[in-house]
Amino acid sequence: MLYSTAPTAQIRALEDYKSGISARLQILSARIARAAVEAGRDPAEVRLLAVSKTWPIESLRDAVAGGQMAFGESYVQEAVGKIEALSDLGLEWHFIGPLQGNKTRPVANAFSWVHSVDRIRIAQRLSEQRDVHLPPLQVCIQVNVSGEESKSGVSPEALPELARAVAALPRLTLRGLMTIPEPSPDVAVQRARFASLRHLRDALNNGGMSLDTLSMGMSDDLEAAIAEGATIVRVGTAIFGSRA
Ligand SMILES: *Cc1c(COP(=O)(O)O)cnc(C)c1O
């Protein structure tokens, strides 16, 4: 297979030469486009979600100046403050962090998307609490494809039943699946895990669903994710730098 994760000389030169958030966004869109083309896909099929958790509002403004409109946040309180502060910009907010039952209300109403649904109780609360004047909340089910005990996410075995239950909730639209695999430096291992999320999505679609979203791939493994069909990559470090 003609696939490599090494950046082209051109991308490496840009990385050396440029710094700053909007320059990094340009580099990243070149990485995404290259990975898509290598996989025989249209780069427009892959959306970039800028993961801005822990970064201050000024950093988000810099990203907006660089053309970025969709942001991912993991901590409810921090996110709500940013969403209010930037409410005049028409941004799209995605919640990607662990969900606790007592904090679903702000998540249900301040965000357009939730990627981290992994139990029915949480999905029911999000559906009950979503304001009827807002469009349905767009959700992904988080799946634990590498099988670690500690990570959140439903098991592949329990996924079909959860997906059916989530899809039936009135104020949610089930869009697809999300995963955060255990990091591996081995591209073949990365690809196998992302491929397993795609196979789970395809199996649900063969069973009558129409899920269009695979939320997978981060700063270090987005090429592998795009090769396996990612439609949303969630990238923090490669845009904003290393988190403290
Ligand atoms: C922090 C985070 C990311 C971004 O990871 P980077 O390695 O910084 O690109 C993506 N997805 C989730 C769920 C995260 O919590």
Side-chain angles (χ1 to χ4, degrees), residues 8 15 24-25 39 52 57 80 101 105 181 192 216 229 233 238:
T8 60
E15 273 169 344
R24 291 200 203 113
L25 280 168
S52 47
I57 284 169
V80 166
R105 189 175 297 277
M216 58 189 196
V233 291

Side-chain angles (χ1 to χ4, degrees), residues 51 53 74 96 178 180 218-220 234-238 243:
V51 176
K53 65 184 181 211
S74 300
I96 61 175
M178 180 274 235
I180 314 172
M218 318 201 292
S219 294
D220 291 333
R234 307 177 311 268
V235 180
T237 307
R243 288 176 295 274

Side-chain angles (χ1 to χ4, degrees), residues 138-200:
Q138 308 297 295
V139 304
C140 292
I141 293 177
Q142 183 174 350
V143 185
N144 183 347
V145 292
S146 35
E148 311 102 283
E149 295 289 334
S150 60
K151 281 271 176 66
S152 30
V154 69
S155 69
E157 296 71 34
L159 171 65
E161 189 187 341
L162 179 60
R164 274 192 298 274
V166 171
L169 292 169
R171 304 293 303 138
L172 306 185
T173 300
L174 179 59
R175 293 293 297 271
L177 307 179
M178 180 274 235
T179 195
I180 314 172
E182 189 182 3
S184 166
D186 182 341
V187 175
V189 172
Q190 294 172 8
R191 285 192 59 160
R193 288 177 180 149
F194 293 135
S196 67
L197 195 73
R198 173 166 49 82
H199 294 144
L200 291 168

